Amino acid sequence: MPTAKWNGAVIAQSDNTQIVEGNHYFPRAAVNSDYLKNSDTTSHCPWKGNASYYSLEVSGETNVDAAWYYPSPLERATHIKDHIAFWKGVEITD
C-alpha cells in the first residue's frame, strides 16, 4: 500500500492513490491532517491549474511546503481533486 512518511511519522497511506507525473496523489481522507499546516505558497501548472501547499510539522520539525494539492483542478486533472502529493524528502513507498 502506498505510504508517505517523513521524520518517522506516517503522513498518508492508501491503496487508492492517483499517479500523475510520477507523483502519488493521496486521497485527502487518507492523509493525517494533524501533520498539515497551511501555507501561503501557490504555484501554477498549465494543465492542472493552481496548486496550494501545506507544510508538514512532525515532532517539532517543519518541512516547509512539502505537500501540495489542487483545490480546483482544470478539466484534464479533475481526478486529483481532493488529493494531496508530497516532496521535499517525504518518502513514498509502495
Side-chain angles (χ1 to χ4, degrees):
M1 173 180 317
T3 302
K5 294 181 182 176
W6 183 72
N7 202 26
V10 173
I11 308 299
Q13 193 170 42
S14 176
D15 277 328
N16 194 27
T17 63
Q18 298 291 320
I19 300 175
V20 177
E21 298 176 329
N23 295 301
H24 281 271
Y25 282 76
F26 290 81
R28 179 68 184 85
V31 179
N32 187 334
S33 61
D34 292 343
Y35 300 127
L36 301 178
K37 303 302 172 198
N38 287 323
S39 169
D40 291 332
T41 301
T42 61
S43 63
H44 179 78
C45 171
W47 73 272
K48 289 181 289 216
N50 295 320
S52 295
Y53 290 77
Y54 290 112
S55 294
L56 300 177
E57 287 189 8
V58 176
S59 300
E61 293 188 39
T62 302
N63 191 343
V64 177
D65 297 338
W68 76 94
Y69 64 100
Y70 291 87
S72 299
L74 298 175
E75 186 176 338
R76 290 180 50 203
T78 56
H79 61 290
I80 59 170
K81 181 169 176 52
D82 299 321
H83 286 65
I84 299 173
F86 303 94
W87 65 328
K88 293 190 170 185
V90 176
E91 180 184 5
I92 309 295
T93 56
D94 286 326

